[in-house]
Amino acid sequence: MPDFLMTTGAAEQAWNQDQMREPVTRPLFQLWAYEAPAVVLGCSQARTVTQEEIAQRAGIGSTARQSGGGAVLAGSWMLSASIILPNGHPLASDKLVQSYQWIGELYAKVLHGFDIAAHALPPEQARALQAGVPPSLTWACFAGFSPWEVVVDNRKIVGLAQARRRTGTLVVSGVLLGRPDWGLLARAMNQAAGSAAELAACTTSCAEQLGRELTLEEIAAPLARALREALGTA
């Protein structure tokens, strides 16, 4: 049985919401792969961009996540994770920035297993990289750099976000297995065509780093194993 579920962006977000409706009593996680491209909007973006507009411009579906940040283009090029933590769990630190460190370092270690020279960004390095992001790209999640997100040569390969509720904490992440269709995302978000090249320049993927395709099965197995160990759910 695979370590991930094939899904849609909307179904993934519905699962996340369902897990957070009642108080979380134990840590759990789910890995996701995608049946088709879809835009996942940050919660604030969803107030200004409609599903109808995205469908009309790009011919794809869209949904909104519980956390903030920029738009993500889910698709065959990404493996995502939803991690649910109960209040008071050691990994759900009261210090927001610190609460990302464990997951960023976990991803970096998994990628090291494939000889990808990834590292999680300490806060000061993330701030320095973020200062160099063009204002024209702030709408895109993978153009930004937050503490403990994962990069290779200062190009982002893993994005992180979280939502905290009175019922628990939701941590979400996505690793780029291949290059996303950045042109499709730019059209969906009504951005300049040149945004696609800019996004390609500030991001990288497992395939680009390895010079070959990394299958979902190859990376899902060690990622799931690392998450089970970190969460104590083996």
Side-chain angles (χ1 to χ4, degrees):
M1 187 173 179
D3 291 294
F4 58 89
L5 288 180
M6 295 298 298
T7 191
T8 64
E12 174 193 4
Q13 299 308 314
W15 186 91
N16 290 344
Q17 291 179 7
D18 286 344
Q19 304 309 311
M20 299 288 284
R21 290 189 197 283
E22 301 294 334
V24 179
T25 58
R26 62 184 179 88
L28 71 155
F29 72 91
Q30 179 62 58
L31 301 185
W32 308 100
Y34 300 96
E35 299 167 356
V39 177
V40 182
L41 300 166
C43 56
S44 59
Q45 285 181 318
R47 303 187 192 105
T48 59
V49 183
T50 68
Q51 292 181 334
E52 292 76 15
E53 289 171 330
I54 290 174
Q56 184 176 28
R57 290 193 289 250
I60 59 175
S62 60
T63 188
R65 60 181 182 268
Q66 296 183 61
S67 55
V72 173
L73 186 63
S76 59
W77 43 77
M78 180 182 290
L79 179 70
S80 297
S82 298
I83 302 155
I84 312 294
L85 299 172
N87 289 326
H89 192 276
L91 297 179
S93 171
D94 291 338
K95 297 179 180 178
L96 182 61
V97 170
Q98 184 178 321
S99 69
Y100 284 103
Q101 183 173 358
W102 75 274
I103 186 64
E105 292 180 343
L106 182 149
Y107 267 99
K109 185 176 181 180
V110 169
L111 292 174
H112 288 168
F114 296 96
D115 293 326
I116 296 174
H119 77 276
L121 288 170
E124 61 276 11
Q125 187 181 2
R127 286 192 291 268
L129 290 175
Q130 183 63 29
V133 175
S136 59
L137 291 182
T138 56
W139 56 272
C141 171
F142 270 85
F145 300 92
S146 294
W148 306 114
E149 290 187 312
V150 182
V151 300
V152 181
D153 293 331
N154 293 339
R155 298 170 68 198
K156 189 165 167 180
I157 194 169
V158 177
L160 305 173
Q162 76 175 261
R164 295 186 171 214
R165 301 289 184 268
R166 57 180 179 78
T167 55
T169 296
L170 165 68
V171 180
V172 293
S173 57
V175 57
L176 296 181
L177 307 184
R179 177 182 288 190
D181 188 341
W182 294 125
L184 180 62
L185 180 60
R187 290 197 302 277
M189 297 300 292
N190 199 29
Q191 299 295 322
S195 298
E198 292 181 289
L199 286 166
C202 67
T203 58
T204 188
S205 68
C206 296
E208 182 178 357
Q209 293 299 313
L210 294 175
R212 68 170 181 87
E213 179 183 349
L214 186 65
T215 67
L216 288 165
E217 290 80 6
E218 280 183 280
I219 192 167
L223 179 57
R225 187 163 56 247
L227 285 169
R228 283 192 290 268
E229 181 177 341
L231 299 178
T233 58

